[in-house]
Amino acid sequence: MEMENQKKSTIKVVSDLRSGDSKTVLAAIKKIDQLANEAFVLPLLEFYRDTEDESAKETVKEMLSTLKVSGGEDVLVRALGSLDFAQIQGDILFFIWHSGFQPVDHIHLVCKIAVEGEFMTAFEALTLIESLGGPVNDDSLMEGLMSVRGFLADNKEHPHRELIFNLFQVLSTFENQG
């Protein structure tokens, strides 16, 4: 019975979050703080991506930056790789890093986003990779190194080449520890 009530509460809060009415959305955000579980991560990301309400966006940013829910990392990583969230990839990297998640099996994805993204996205990717405590997934590391090496070889004059080179150095350290 308890699980059923919690499921109903979750569905209601997610529905309220997607309502579009700012008063209802803010009330839902406050409830999420009390009910926190992985079911709220994707709707919060969608809200963050879509809202123009800067105050509500800041509140959601704080929530997503301090996630301590089981399964939260998986949801964030899936969103990171989704075209639906391409315009907030830098923010998602920030959320993953600030929440203390360790996506050691997804280095390749983080590197791909770094070399394809804007400066701040690449910066967030570097920050996240630097924070990894290992051990890292060797296949993911090798794929990430290939992306970074390819970028460096093809972009001798790119504005954030130095940033990507720093990423390469961190990845090389992981490779040498392996």
Side-chain angles (χ1 to χ4, degrees):
M1 189 63 145
E2 177 69 29
M3 287 291 275
E4 186 66 29
N5 287 339
Q6 188 172 8
K7 190 173 182 177
K8 285 180 182 178
S9 291
T10 300
I11 291 168
K12 168 92 171 94
V13 172
V14 168
S15 174
D16 289 351
L17 187 61
R18 292 177 171 155
S19 73
D21 176 64
S22 49
K23 204 173 193 181
T24 304
V25 167
L26 288 173
I29 290 170
K30 288 179 183 170
K31 287 179 190 169
I32 288 172
D33 229 5
Q34 300 159 354
L35 301 170
N37 69 52
E38 73 181 82
F40 297 118
V41 178
L42 189 60
L44 283 170
L45 282 171
E46 290 168 345
F47 176 80
Y48 182 85
R49 176 196 62 203
D50 299 339
T51 191
E52 294 180 20
D53 181 337
E54 289 303 317
S55 175
K57 189 171 197 156
E58 272 306 307
T59 301
V60 170
K61 181 178 183 175
E62 178 65 29
M63 291 176 81
L64 289 169
S65 298
T66 57
L67 278 178
K68 300 296 181 218
V69 298
S70 175
E73 178 178 343
D74 294 336
V75 176
L76 288 172
V77 169
R78 277 194 308 275
L80 187 60
S82 169
L83 291 177
D84 291 342
F85 295 98
Q87 72 267 34
I88 63 166
Q89 286 176 324
D91 296 304
I92 295 171
L93 290 167
F94 176 86
F95 302 148
I96 293 169
W97 175 69
H98 268 268
S99 293
F101 292 130
Q102 297 281 299
V104 295
D105 294 333
H106 304 283
I107 292 171
H108 63 287
L109 176 61
V110 175
C111 291
K112 178 182 182 294
I113 288 166
V115 300
E116 292 175 357
E118 297 175 0
F119 180 83
M120 283 310 296
T121 300
F123 180 78
E124 293 296 347
L126 173 61
T127 303
L128 176 59
I129 295 291
E130 287 176 328
S131 76
L132 296 179
V136 299
N137 178 299
D138 288 337
D139 292 337
S140 184
L141 174 62
M142 290 303 126
E143 192 176 330
L145 272 165
M146 284 179 25
S147 293
V148 170
R149 283 184 181 126
F151 175 91
L152 293 172
D154 296 342
N155 295 282
K156 302 286 186 207
E157 302 294 323
H158 197 279
H160 56 271
R161 178 179 166 66
E162 186 175 329
L163 186 64
I164 300 300
F165 183 74
N166 290 339
L167 179 58
F168 170 74
Q169 290 177 312
V170 174
L171 295 172
S172 295
T173 302
F174 286 134
E175 181 182 35
N176 293 334
Q177 290 172 351

